[in-house]
Amino acid sequence: MAENKSKYFIAGIVPYLIWGTMSVPLRNIKGFPPHEILYYRILVSIIVVWGIIFLFRKEALKNDLAFLKSLSTRRKTRLVLLTVVSSFLITGNWFTYIYAVNSVSLKAAAFAYMVCPLLTALCGFIILKEQLTKAKVIALVVAFMSIILLATGSLHEVIWAIIVASFYAIYVIVLKIIKGVDKFNFLGIQLILSGLMMLPLYFLNAASFPAQTSFWVHIFLIAIVFTIIPLFLNSYALIGMPSSALGILIYLNPIVAFTVAFFYFKEKIDLHQLFAYLLLLLSIVIFNAQLLKSVVYKKQ
């Protein structure tokens, strides 16, 4: 029983460790514009994901098509609109994250994913009318203070961090609304829509087809290792782990990202920024205090 649980736990940890190091391959192809990196990442992901669907997931695809046919016109229209919105949001998140890593700073990109769960809770309260406990309200106030403090030092970095986080936070809220469809097949549809959304930008900024082998090695690496594999593992982990436990594990992403920024890329951090990051860390602990207690209690 313990071994079965441990494999789900490992599957839950690995995606966030992988995503935390994504800045390395992105920095290696920094010379290419963000829209070009994203377009080819999406293109390769579409080929791989739909290859997997047609080879191994035909039954799940048939079930989704049957589910879509069973919906009323109103519910079908709602699902299509939510799918388009979610595709726009995840495309915006991917694009702004690549831009932040290569044109702003790694700290801004990592900070975005520290703020993201807190911002998601705020969006859930505003959009879905989800209740916030007093502890969570205090945590959001402390996080807001941290953001203000960082903004006094580098407003540019904070604005980009909030933009990246906002796209993903609202995307998560939209996903919560969408029910009844296979998540992997849904990803396949999102990728096609994302590719279509990127086409105008791609043609407006038309460049010669990349011929460098290193570029394509990194694109395939980003598409498979940093997009598809983590999503597979994340879905697998949810089979044997509560989503609340995975909610805590998401903070491994910015921790690893900050480590990569400071020790691998040698980005500087001053005392002003350090205090702001520690303040945000405090807000995260406050926000997840009850959840941490319940996880520890269950283990005991």
Side-chain angles (χ1 to χ4, degrees):
M1 185 68 73
E3 285 182 9
N4 288 336
K5 285 188 176 180
S6 66
K7 68 181 180 182
Y8 293 122
F9 186 70
I10 291 167
I13 288 175
V14 171
Y16 298 113
L17 296 178
I18 291 173
W19 284 325
T21 60
M22 190 175 171
S23 57
V24 176
L26 284 177
R27 275 288 173 94
N28 289 342
I29 50 174
K30 188 177 179 179
F32 293 87
H35 72 271
E36 198 167 332
I37 295 171
L38 179 56
Y39 181 77
Y40 289 116
R41 174 195 183 179
I42 291 170
L43 180 64
V44 171
S45 296
I46 288 171
I47 294 167
V48 174
V49 166
W50 280 99
I52 292 168
I53 290 171
F54 288 130
L55 287 172
F56 307 109
R57 299 177 59 81
K58 285 181 183 177
E59 196 60 38
L61 185 60
K62 285 179 184 176
N63 292 339
D64 278 347
L65 290 172
F67 172 73
L68 192 62
K69 285 178 183 176
S70 71
L71 295 176
S72 63
T73 305
R74 184 181 173 184
R75 288 183 66 195
K76 202 176 292 183
T77 304
R78 182 172 178 266
L79 178 60
V80 170
L81 286 172
L82 288 172
T83 304
V84 172
V85 170
S86 69
S87 302
F88 168 77
L89 291 168
I90 197 61
T91 306
N93 172 258
W94 286 341
F95 179 82
T96 52
Y97 179 79
I98 293 169
Y99 182 85
V101 167
N102 284 347
S103 303
V104 183
S105 77
L106 294 174
K107 295 195 295 286
F111 182 69
Y113 286 97
M114 285 188 83
V115 175
C116 197
L118 303 172
L119 202 55
T120 302
L122 184 61
C123 290
F125 172 72
I126 295 168
I127 299 169
L128 301 179
K129 309 301 179 186
E130 293 178 347
Q131 293 302 306
L132 288 174
T133 62
K134 286 182 181 179
K136 289 186 176 182
V137 171
I138 292 168
L140 289 172
V141 171
V142 174
F144 183 71
M145 288 166 59
S146 169
I147 292 166
I148 295 295
L149 189 61
L150 276 173
T152 60
S154 178
L155 182 61
H156 181 62
E157 285 189 1
V158 170
I159 287 172
W160 271 102
I162 291 172
I163 290 171
V164 174
S166 297
F167 271 116
Y168 193 75
I170 301 170
Y171 169 73
V172 170
I173 296 301
V174 173
L175 282 191
K176 283 186 178 182
I177 300 170
I178 297 169
K179 299 183 189 299
V181 292
D182 182 272
K183 298 299 181 188
F184 194 81
N185 292 343
F186 186 71
L187 173 65
I189 297 297
Q190 282 183 317
L191 285 168
I192 289 173
L193 291 173
S194 294
L196 292 173
M197 288 173 190
M198 289 299 297
L199 270 178
L201 188 60
Y202 181 76
F203 286 120
L204 283 171
N205 298 276
S208 57
F209 190 78
Q212 296 92 325
T213 304
S214 62
F215 174 79
W216 286 104
V217 168
H218 282 87
I219 289 296
F220 271 89
L221 186 71
I222 290 166
I224 297 169
V225 177
F226 291 90
T227 305
I228 297 166
I229 290 175
L231 287 169
F232 256 135
L233 291 172
N234 212 241
S235 300
Y236 179 73
L238 279 169
I239 297 170
M241 280 184 75
S243 56
S244 58
L246 281 179
I248 294 174
L249 294 179
I250 194 173
Y251 293 108
L252 287 171
N253 182 335
I255 290 168
V256 174
F258 275 119
T259 304
V260 171
F262 300 138
F263 294 102
Y264 185 80
F265 290 107
K266 309 297 182 186
E267 285 206 359
K268 304 294 182 185
I269 181 170
D270 56 35
L271 287 174
H272 174 268
Q273 289 176 319
L274 181 61
F275 180 73
Y277 290 137
L278 289 173
L279 199 60
L280 182 62
L281 188 61
L282 174 64
S283 75
I284 288 167
V285 172
I286 295 170
F287 189 86
N288 292 287
Q290 194 59 43
L291 187 57
L292 286 164
K293 280 181 186 176
S294 65
V295 170
V296 171
Y297 180 76
K298 281 179 182 177
K299 281 186 178 181
Q300 290 175 343

